């Protein structure tokens, strides 16, 4: 399978291509283009969140601990004294950076549900919802953020499938078909839980009509 460096390099290259194209047609400013690159790159390592002791899982939870800390501080500030808020924020940071990774490794299987298009859709929708509701971004930009994460996710899955083909031996490796899939056929309950989580986010998503218009405009660029 592709290693960490390959995943993040190819995802970053894909992000640069998309960001440059969007900047050329004046969809976003240079600063917004940089964020798109970062989100595609993040999506490019996100499926390996289920890989125990990998570079990806450590980096992912290191990155997630910062926004979790900021969000926790914003939500708890009206209710806690400064001292209690400091302790709570420390607990949030420690829990996300260290404990969450351990628990995730315990309850997930590599190349399971997190290597699927269903998981990619969940991550993309969650990103769009957070961008729209918490960061107060315009609907079109929030959908762009979600699409960037989903694109990086799909790049990761595609690379894993490409590396599952042994060109020299002209054969498929045993890992072929375990990455770029709709869901986890071996664990139906994982599919159900992931689908429920995805549907729960639907009411919080930016307006769907904006997504349709964004996809339409994007398709025109290829004509």
């Amino acid at each position: 399978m592709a290693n960490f460096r390959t995943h993040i390099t190819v995802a970053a290259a894909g992000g640069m291509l998309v960001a440059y194209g969007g900047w050329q047609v004046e969809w976003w400013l240079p600063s917004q283009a940089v964020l798109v690159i970062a989100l595609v790159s993040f999506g490019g390592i996100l499926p390996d969140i289920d890989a125990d002791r990998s570079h990806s899982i450590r980096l992912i939870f290191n990155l997630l601990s910062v926004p979790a800390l900021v969000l926790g501080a914003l939500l708890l500030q009206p209710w806690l004294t400064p001292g209690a808020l400091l302790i709570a924020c420390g607990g949030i940071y420690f829990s996300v950076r260290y404990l969450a990774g351990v628990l995730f490794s315990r309850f997930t299987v590599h190349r399971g549900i997190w290597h699927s298009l269903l998981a990619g859709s969940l991550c993309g929708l969650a990103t769009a919802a957070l961008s729209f509701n918490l960061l107060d971004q315009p609907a079109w930009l929030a959908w762009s953020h979600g699409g960037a994460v989903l694109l990086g996710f799909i790049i990761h899955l595609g690379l894993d499938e490409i590396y599952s083909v042994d060109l020299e031996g002209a054969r498929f490796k045993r890992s072929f078909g375990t990455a770029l899939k709709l869901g986890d056929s071996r664990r139906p309950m994982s599919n159900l839980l992931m689908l429920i989580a995805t549907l729960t986010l639907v009411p919080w998503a930016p307006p769907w009509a904006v997504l349709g218009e964004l996809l339409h405009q994007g398709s025109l660029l290829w004509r």
Side-chain angles (χ1 to χ4, degrees):
M1 66 181 68
N3 58 24
F4 173 81
R5 179 176 297 180
T6 301
H7 279 306
I8 198 167
T9 300
V10 175
M16 290 178 186
L17 181 62
V18 171
Y20 178 76
W23 173 67
Q24 282 291 305
V25 297
E26 300 182 347
W27 275 3
W28 42 60
L29 300 173
S31 58
Q32 295 168 334
V34 171
L35 179 57
V36 169
I37 296 172
L39 289 173
V40 176
S41 300
F42 181 69
I45 62 172
L46 197 51
D48 277 345
I49 196 173
D50 61 10
D52 300 349
R53 297 180 297 277
S54 69
H55 290 294
S56 296
I57 193 171
R58 291 195 298 269
L59 179 57
I60 288 168
F61 283 105
N62 284 345
L63 293 174
L64 290 178
S65 63
V66 176
L69 173 63
V70 174
L71 179 60
L74 292 175
L75 294 177
L76 296 175
Q77 186 176 12
W79 309 98
L80 299 178
T81 63
L85 180 63
L86 181 62
I87 294 174
C89 289
I92 292 172
Y93 181 81
F94 179 82
S95 298
V96 174
R97 182 169 183 178
Y98 298 104
L99 296 183
V102 174
L103 292 175
F104 219 90
S105 299
R106 174 66 179 82
F107 292 105
T108 58
V109 177
H110 189 47
R111 290 293 186 99
I113 188 61
W114 281 97
H115 275 71
S116 71
L117 295 175
L118 180 57
S121 299
L122 172 64
C123 294
L125 187 58
T127 302
L130 288 172
S131 179
F132 183 68
N133 294 287
L134 293 182
L135 301 181
D136 199 27
Q137 296 298 304
W140 69 270
L141 188 56
W143 278 122
S144 298
H145 293 161
V149 171
L150 176 58
L151 174 61
F153 208 100
I154 293 174
I155 289 174
H156 181 112
L157 301 184
L159 279 174
D160 278 349
E161 292 296 355
I162 291 172
Y163 274 75
S164 295
V165 179
D166 183 357
L167 296 179
E168 293 183 358
R171 65 181 180 86
F172 294 117
K173 300 178 182 178
R174 292 181 60 185
S175 58
F176 183 78
T178 60
L180 191 57
K181 56 185 184 292
L182 291 177
D184 189 352
S185 60
R186 296 172 297 177
R187 301 172 183 84
M189 184 57 65
S190 298
N191 297 327
L192 178 60
L193 293 175
M194 181 98 34
L195 181 60
I196 292 173
T198 303
L199 294 176
T200 302
L201 289 172
V202 169
W204 301 96
W208 292 92
V210 176
L211 175 60
E213 179 62 25
L214 194 64
L215 292 174
H216 174 69
Q217 292 180 7
S219 67
L220 296 178
L221 298 178
W222 298 96
R223 293 184 178 179

